[in-house]
Short mmCIF file of all heavy atoms in Angstrom, two decimals:
data_model
loop_
_atom_site.label_atom_id
_atom_site.label_comp_id
_atom_site.label_asym_id
_atom_site.label_seq_id
_atom_site.Cartn_x
_atom_site.Cartn_y
_atom_site.Cartn_z
N GLU A 1322 86.01 10.49 28.01
CA GLU A 1322 84.58 10.17 28.04
C GLU A 1322 84.21 9.36 26.80
O GLU A 1322 84.54 9.75 25.69
CB GLU A 1322 83.79 11.48 28.07
CG GLU A 1322 82.32 11.31 28.34
CD GLU A 1322 81.68 12.66 28.65
OE1 GLU A 1322 81.98 13.23 29.71
OE2 GLU A 1322 80.91 13.14 27.82
N GLY A 1323 83.54 8.24 27.02
CA GLY A 1323 83.17 7.39 25.89
C GLY A 1323 82.79 6.01 26.39
O GLY A 1323 82.64 5.79 27.59
N ALA A 1324 82.62 5.10 25.45
CA ALA A 1324 82.09 3.77 25.79
C ALA A 1324 82.96 3.04 26.80
O ALA A 1324 82.45 2.37 27.69
CB ALA A 1324 81.95 2.94 24.51
N THR A 1325 84.29 3.19 26.67
CA THR A 1325 85.16 2.43 27.58
C THR A 1325 85.03 2.94 29.02
O THR A 1325 84.92 2.15 29.96
CB THR A 1325 86.62 2.49 27.11
OG1 THR A 1325 86.69 1.98 25.78
CG2 THR A 1325 87.52 1.65 27.99
N ALA A 1326 85.03 4.26 29.19
CA ALA A 1326 84.85 4.82 30.54
C ALA A 1326 83.49 4.43 31.09
O ALA A 1326 83.36 4.09 32.27
CB ALA A 1326 84.99 6.34 30.50
N THR A 1327 82.48 4.44 30.25
CA THR A 1327 81.13 4.07 30.68
C THR A 1327 81.12 2.61 31.15
O THR A 1327 80.56 2.28 32.19
CB THR A 1327 80.14 4.27 29.53
OG1 THR A 1327 80.06 5.68 29.27
CG2 THR A 1327 78.76 3.75 29.87
N ARG A 1328 81.76 1.75 30.40
CA ARG A 1328 81.80 0.33 30.73
C ARG A 1328 82.57 0.07 32.02
O ARG A 1328 82.17 -0.73 32.85
CB ARG A 1328 82.47 -0.42 29.58
CG ARG A 1328 82.41 -1.91 29.65
CD ARG A 1328 82.65 -2.51 28.27
NE ARG A 1328 84.01 -2.32 27.80
CZ ARG A 1328 85.03 -3.10 28.17
NH1 ARG A 1328 84.85 -4.08 29.03
NH2 ARG A 1328 86.24 -2.90 27.71
N LEU A 1329 83.71 0.76 32.18
CA LEU A 1329 84.56 0.50 33.34
C LEU A 1329 84.12 1.28 34.57
O LEU A 1329 84.66 1.09 35.66
CB LEU A 1329 86.02 0.86 33.01
CG LEU A 1329 86.65 0.06 31.86
CD1 LEU A 1329 88.05 0.59 31.55
CD2 LEU A 1329 86.72 -1.42 32.19
N GLY A 1330 83.15 2.17 34.40
CA GLY A 1330 82.70 2.97 35.53
C GLY A 1330 83.74 3.97 36.00
O GLY A 1330 83.75 4.35 37.17
N ILE A 1331 84.61 4.38 35.09
CA ILE A 1331 85.65 5.35 35.45
C ILE A 1331 85.16 6.75 35.11
O ILE A 1331 84.61 6.98 34.02
CB ILE A 1331 86.97 5.02 34.70
CG1 ILE A 1331 87.52 3.70 35.22
CG2 ILE A 1331 87.98 6.15 34.87
CD1 ILE A 1331 88.67 3.15 34.43
N ARG A 1332 85.32 7.67 36.05
CA ARG A 1332 84.85 9.03 35.82
C ARG A 1332 85.61 9.65 34.65
O ARG A 1332 86.82 9.45 34.51
CB ARG A 1332 85.01 9.85 37.10
CG ARG A 1332 84.01 9.38 38.17
CD ARG A 1332 84.19 10.09 39.48
NE ARG A 1332 85.42 9.63 40.15
CZ ARG A 1332 85.82 10.08 41.33
NH1 ARG A 1332 85.13 11.02 41.96
NH2 ARG A 1332 86.93 9.62 41.89
N ALA A 1333 84.88 10.37 33.81
CA ALA A 1333 85.39 10.67 32.48
C ALA A 1333 85.67 12.16 32.25
O ALA A 1333 85.13 13.03 32.93
CB ALA A 1333 84.41 10.17 31.43
N ASP A 1394 91.10 5.33 23.43
CA ASP A 1394 90.79 5.07 24.85
C ASP A 1394 90.42 3.62 25.15
O ASP A 1394 90.43 3.21 26.30
CB ASP A 1394 89.70 6.04 25.35
CG ASP A 1394 88.41 5.95 24.55
OD1 ASP A 1394 88.34 5.14 23.60
OD2 ASP A 1394 87.47 6.70 24.87
N GLU A 1395 90.13 2.85 24.12
CA GLU A 1395 89.86 1.43 24.37
C GLU A 1395 91.07 0.74 24.99
O GLU A 1395 90.92 -0.30 25.65
CB GLU A 1395 89.47 0.73 23.06
CG GLU A 1395 88.07 1.11 22.60
CD GLU A 1395 87.70 0.43 21.29
OE1 GLU A 1395 88.21 -0.67 21.04
OE2 GLU A 1395 86.91 1.03 20.55
N CYS A 1412 89.04 9.09 21.57
CA CYS A 1412 88.32 8.10 20.78
C CYS A 1412 89.02 7.88 19.43
O CYS A 1412 89.94 8.61 19.07
CB CYS A 1412 86.87 8.52 20.59
SG CYS A 1412 86.68 9.99 19.60
N ASP A 1441 105.20 1.60 42.18
CA ASP A 1441 104.18 1.55 43.23
C ASP A 1441 103.07 2.56 42.96
O ASP A 1441 101.89 2.27 43.19
CB ASP A 1441 104.80 1.84 44.60
CG ASP A 1441 105.37 0.58 45.24
OD1 ASP A 1441 105.14 -0.52 44.69
OD2 ASP A 1441 106.03 0.70 46.29
N ASP A 1442 103.45 3.74 42.48
CA ASP A 1442 102.43 4.76 42.20
C ASP A 1442 101.52 4.32 41.06
O ASP A 1442 100.30 4.56 41.09
CB ASP A 1442 103.08 6.10 41.85
CG ASP A 1442 103.58 6.83 43.09
OD1 ASP A 1442 103.21 6.41 44.21
OD2 ASP A 1442 104.33 7.81 42.94
N ARG A 1444 100.96 1.20 40.15
CA ARG A 1444 100.29 -0.07 40.43
C ARG A 1444 99.22 0.15 41.50
O ARG A 1444 99.37 -0.20 42.65
CB ARG A 1444 101.32 -1.10 40.89
CG ARG A 1444 100.78 -2.53 40.92
CD ARG A 1444 101.87 -3.49 41.32
NE ARG A 1444 102.49 -3.07 42.57
CZ ARG A 1444 103.58 -3.61 43.09
NH1 ARG A 1444 104.20 -4.57 42.47
NH2 ARG A 1444 104.07 -3.19 44.23
N GLN A 1445 98.15 0.78 41.09
CA GLN A 1445 97.04 1.09 41.98
C GLN A 1445 95.77 0.97 41.15
O GLN A 1445 95.81 0.95 39.93
CB GLN A 1445 97.15 2.52 42.50
CG GLN A 1445 98.38 2.81 43.35
CD GLN A 1445 98.23 4.12 44.10
OE1 GLN A 1445 97.43 4.23 45.02
NE2 GLN A 1445 98.97 5.12 43.67
N PRO A 1446 94.61 0.95 41.83
CA PRO A 1446 93.37 1.03 41.06
C PRO A 1446 93.40 2.28 40.17
O PRO A 1446 94.00 3.30 40.54
CB PRO A 1446 92.30 1.14 42.14
CG PRO A 1446 92.89 0.44 43.33
CD PRO A 1446 94.37 0.77 43.27
N PHE A 1447 92.73 2.22 39.02
CA PHE A 1447 92.92 3.21 37.96
C PHE A 1447 92.81 4.66 38.43
O PHE A 1447 93.66 5.50 38.14
CB PHE A 1447 91.92 2.95 36.82
CG PHE A 1447 92.25 3.72 35.58
CD1 PHE A 1447 93.16 3.22 34.66
CD2 PHE A 1447 91.69 4.96 35.34
CE1 PHE A 1447 93.49 3.92 33.52
CE2 PHE A 1447 92.02 5.68 34.20
CZ PHE A 1447 92.92 5.16 33.29
N GLU A 1448 91.75 4.97 39.15
CA GLU A 1448 91.54 6.37 39.53
C GLU A 1448 92.54 6.85 40.58
O GLU A 1448 92.71 8.04 40.78
CB GLU A 1448 90.10 6.59 40.04
CG GLU A 1448 89.05 6.48 38.94
CD GLU A 1448 87.68 6.97 39.39
OE1 GLU A 1448 87.52 7.28 40.59
OE2 GLU A 1448 86.77 7.03 38.55
N MET A 1449 93.17 5.91 41.26
CA MET A 1449 94.11 6.29 42.31
C MET A 1449 95.53 6.49 41.79
O MET A 1449 96.36 7.09 42.46
CB MET A 1449 94.09 5.23 43.42
CG MET A 1449 92.73 5.13 44.11
SD MET A 1449 92.56 3.66 45.13
CE MET A 1449 93.49 4.15 46.58
N GLU B 39 80.03 -8.49 34.00
CA GLU B 39 80.49 -8.41 32.61
C GLU B 39 81.37 -9.61 32.32
O GLU B 39 82.35 -9.88 33.01
CB GLU B 39 81.28 -7.12 32.37
CG GLU B 39 81.66 -6.99 30.89
CD GLU B 39 82.49 -5.75 30.59
OE1 GLU B 39 83.00 -5.13 31.52
OE2 GLU B 39 82.62 -5.43 29.40
N SER B 112 93.68 5.97 51.85
CA SER B 112 93.44 6.53 50.53
C SER B 112 94.55 6.16 49.55
O SER B 112 94.38 6.23 48.36
CB SER B 112 93.30 8.05 50.61
OG SER B 112 94.47 8.59 51.16
N LYS B 113 95.71 5.74 50.05
CA LYS B 113 96.80 5.36 49.15
C LYS B 113 96.73 3.87 48.83
O LYS B 113 96.51 3.05 49.70
CB LYS B 113 98.16 5.67 49.80
CG LYS B 113 98.44 7.13 49.99
CD LYS B 113 98.81 7.82 48.69
CE LYS B 113 100.26 7.53 48.33
NZ LYS B 113 100.63 8.23 47.09
N GLY B 114 96.95 3.55 47.57
CA GLY B 114 96.85 2.16 47.14
C GLY B 114 97.86 1.26 47.82
O GLY B 114 97.58 0.10 48.10
N GLU B 115 99.01 1.80 48.10
CA GLU B 115 100.03 1.00 48.77
C GLU B 115 99.48 0.47 50.09
O GLU B 115 99.61 -0.69 50.43
CB GLU B 115 101.26 1.89 49.01
CG GLU B 115 102.50 1.13 49.42
CD GLU B 115 102.92 0.12 48.38
OE1 GLU B 115 102.82 0.42 47.18
OE2 GLU B 115 103.33 -0.99 48.76
N LEU B 117 96.35 0.26 50.87
CA LEU B 117 95.23 -0.62 50.56
C LEU B 117 95.73 -2.05 50.34
O LEU B 117 95.23 -3.01 50.91
CB LEU B 117 94.53 -0.11 49.30
CG LEU B 117 93.40 -0.94 48.73
CD1 LEU B 117 92.23 -0.98 49.69
CD2 LEU B 117 92.96 -0.37 47.38
N ARG B 118 96.77 -2.17 49.53
CA ARG B 118 97.32 -3.49 49.24
C ARG B 118 97.84 -4.12 50.53
O ARG B 118 97.59 -5.28 50.82
CB ARG B 118 98.44 -3.37 48.21
CG ARG B 118 99.03 -4.70 47.81
CD ARG B 118 99.83 -4.58 46.54
NE ARG B 118 101.06 -3.84 46.71
CZ ARG B 118 101.40 -2.77 46.01
NH1 ARG B 118 100.59 -2.28 45.10
NH2 ARG B 118 102.54 -2.15 46.21
N HIS B 136 84.78 -0.70 47.78
CA HIS B 136 85.75 0.39 47.69
C HIS B 136 85.24 1.44 46.73
O HIS B 136 84.54 1.11 45.76
CB HIS B 136 87.10 -0.16 47.21
CG HIS B 136 88.26 0.76 47.44
ND1 HIS B 136 88.54 1.82 46.61
CD2 HIS B 136 89.19 0.78 48.43
CE1 HIS B 136 89.61 2.46 47.08
NE2 HIS B 136 90.03 1.85 48.17
N SER B 138 86.79 3.11 44.53
CA SER B 138 87.53 3.27 43.28
C SER B 138 87.19 2.16 42.29
O SER B 138 87.30 0.98 42.61
CB SER B 138 89.04 3.25 43.58
OG SER B 138 89.74 3.84 42.52
N PRO B 139 86.77 2.52 41.07
CA PRO B 139 86.44 1.48 40.09
C PRO B 139 87.67 0.62 39.78
O PRO B 139 88.76 1.15 39.61
CB PRO B 139 86.00 2.28 38.85
CG PRO B 139 86.54 3.65 39.05
CD PRO B 139 86.62 3.87 40.53
N ALA B 141 88.89 -1.51 41.87
CA ALA B 141 89.59 -1.85 43.12
C ALA B 141 89.53 -3.35 43.39
O ALA B 141 90.52 -3.95 43.82
CB ALA B 141 89.01 -1.07 44.29
N TYR B 144 91.84 -5.18 41.09
CA TYR B 144 93.21 -4.87 41.53
C TYR B 144 93.61 -5.77 42.70
O TYR B 144 94.69 -6.34 42.72
CB TYR B 144 93.27 -3.39 41.90
CG TYR B 144 94.47 -2.98 42.70
CD1 TYR B 144 95.68 -2.72 42.06
CD2 TYR B 144 94.42 -2.85 44.08
CE1 TYR B 144 96.79 -2.34 42.78
CE2 TYR B 144 95.52 -2.48 44.82
CZ TYR B 144 96.71 -2.22 44.16
OH TYR B 144 97.80 -1.85 44.89
N GLN B 148 96.48 -8.82 43.61
CA GLN B 148 97.49 -8.61 44.65
C GLN B 148 97.51 -9.71 45.70
O GLN B 148 98.53 -9.92 46.34
CB GLN B 148 97.23 -7.26 45.36
CG GLN B 148 97.23 -6.06 44.43
CD GLN B 148 98.59 -5.82 43.81
OE1 GLN B 148 99.62 -6.03 44.43
NE2 GLN B 148 98.61 -5.40 42.56
N MET B 160 81.81 3.43 40.60
CA MET B 160 80.68 3.43 39.68
C MET B 160 80.69 2.18 38.80
O MET B 160 79.88 2.05 37.90
CB MET B 160 80.71 4.67 38.77
CG MET B 160 80.73 5.96 39.53
SD MET B 160 80.93 7.48 38.53
CE MET B 160 81.45 6.95 36.93
N HIS B 161 81.62 1.28 39.04
CA HIS B 161 81.85 0.19 38.08
C HIS B 161 80.81 -0.93 38.19
O HIS B 161 79.89 -0.99 37.38
CB HIS B 161 83.27 -0.36 38.27
CG HIS B 161 83.59 -1.51 37.38
ND1 HIS B 161 84.27 -2.62 37.81
CD2 HIS B 161 83.31 -1.72 36.08
CE1 HIS B 161 84.40 -3.46 36.80
NE2 HIS B 161 83.84 -2.95 35.75
N ARG B 200 75.12 -0.76 36.01
CA ARG B 200 76.09 -1.45 35.15
C ARG B 200 76.00 -2.96 35.32
O ARG B 200 75.95 -3.71 34.34
CB ARG B 200 77.51 -0.94 35.43
CG ARG B 200 77.78 0.39 34.73
CD ARG B 200 79.19 0.90 35.04
NE ARG B 200 79.40 2.19 34.37
CZ ARG B 200 78.90 3.34 34.81
NH1 ARG B 200 78.15 3.38 35.88
NH2 ARG B 200 79.12 4.46 34.13
N PHE B 204 74.82 -5.59 32.33
CA PHE B 204 75.67 -6.69 31.87
C PHE B 204 74.96 -8.03 32.08
O PHE B 204 74.92 -8.89 31.19
CB PHE B 204 77.01 -6.70 32.61
CG PHE B 204 77.90 -5.53 32.29
CD1 PHE B 204 78.53 -4.82 33.30
CD2 PHE B 204 78.12 -5.14 30.97
CE1 PHE B 204 79.37 -3.75 33.00
CE2 PHE B 204 78.96 -4.07 30.67
CZ PHE B 204 79.58 -3.37 31.69
N PRO B 223 75.45 8.12 30.86
CA PRO B 223 76.86 8.12 30.46
C PRO B 223 77.03 8.04 28.94
O PRO B 223 76.15 7.56 28.23
CB PRO B 223 77.42 6.88 31.15
CG PRO B 223 76.25 5.99 31.38
CD PRO B 223 75.06 6.88 31.55
N ALA B 224 78.18 8.50 28.46
CA ALA B 224 78.46 8.54 27.03
C ALA B 224 78.40 7.15 26.42
O ALA B 224 78.91 6.20 27.01
CB ALA B 224 79.84 9.16 26.80
N GLU B 225 77.80 7.04 25.28
CA GLU B 225 77.76 5.80 24.48
C GLU B 225 77.26 4.60 25.29
O GLU B 225 77.76 3.49 25.15
CB GLU B 225 79.14 5.49 23.90
CG GLU B 225 79.66 6.63 23.00
CD GLU B 225 81.03 6.29 22.41
OE1 GLU B 225 81.12 5.28 21.70
OE2 GLU B 225 81.98 7.04 22.67
N VAL B 226 76.27 4.87 26.14
CA VAL B 226 75.79 3.81 27.04
C VAL B 226 75.14 2.67 26.25
O VAL B 226 75.12 1.52 26.70
CB VAL B 226 74.82 4.41 28.09
CG1 VAL B 226 73.52 4.87 27.45
CG2 VAL B 226 74.54 3.41 29.20
N ARG B 228 76.31 1.09 23.96
CA ARG B 228 77.28 0.05 23.66
C ARG B 228 77.43 -0.96 24.80
O ARG B 228 78.07 -1.99 24.64
CB ARG B 228 78.62 0.67 23.27
CG ARG B 228 78.53 1.26 21.85
CD ARG B 228 79.77 1.95 21.39
NE ARG B 228 80.96 1.12 21.45
CZ ARG B 228 82.17 1.57 21.14
NH1 ARG B 228 82.33 2.82 20.77
NH2 ARG B 228 83.21 0.78 21.23
N LEU B 229 76.83 -0.67 25.94
CA LEU B 229 76.80 -1.66 27.02
C LEU B 229 75.73 -2.71 26.76
O LEU B 229 75.75 -3.79 27.37
CB LEU B 229 76.49 -0.97 28.36
CG LEU B 229 77.65 -0.58 29.26
CD1 LEU B 229 78.68 0.25 28.51
CD2 LEU B 229 77.16 0.16 30.48
#
Side-chain angles (χ1 to χ4, degrees):
Chain A
E1322 190 168 292
T1325 303
T1327 293
R1328 189 160 69 81
L1329 299 175
I1331 293 170
R1332 290 176 288 181
D1394 58 0
E1395 287 179 29
C1412 66
D1441 274 352
D1442 282 348
R1444 193 177 53 189
Q1445 297 194 70
F1447 193 86
E1448 290 192 354
M1449 297 167 78
Chain B
E39 184 182 14
S112 59
K113 293 285 281 182
E115 193 60 39
L117 175 66
R118 182 164 70 236
H136 196 280
S138 200
Y144 165 82
Q148 303 295 324
M160 303 175 346
H161 178 222
R200 280 179 181 77
F204 292 133
E225 301 181 60
V226 68
R228 286 177 56 183
L229 264 53

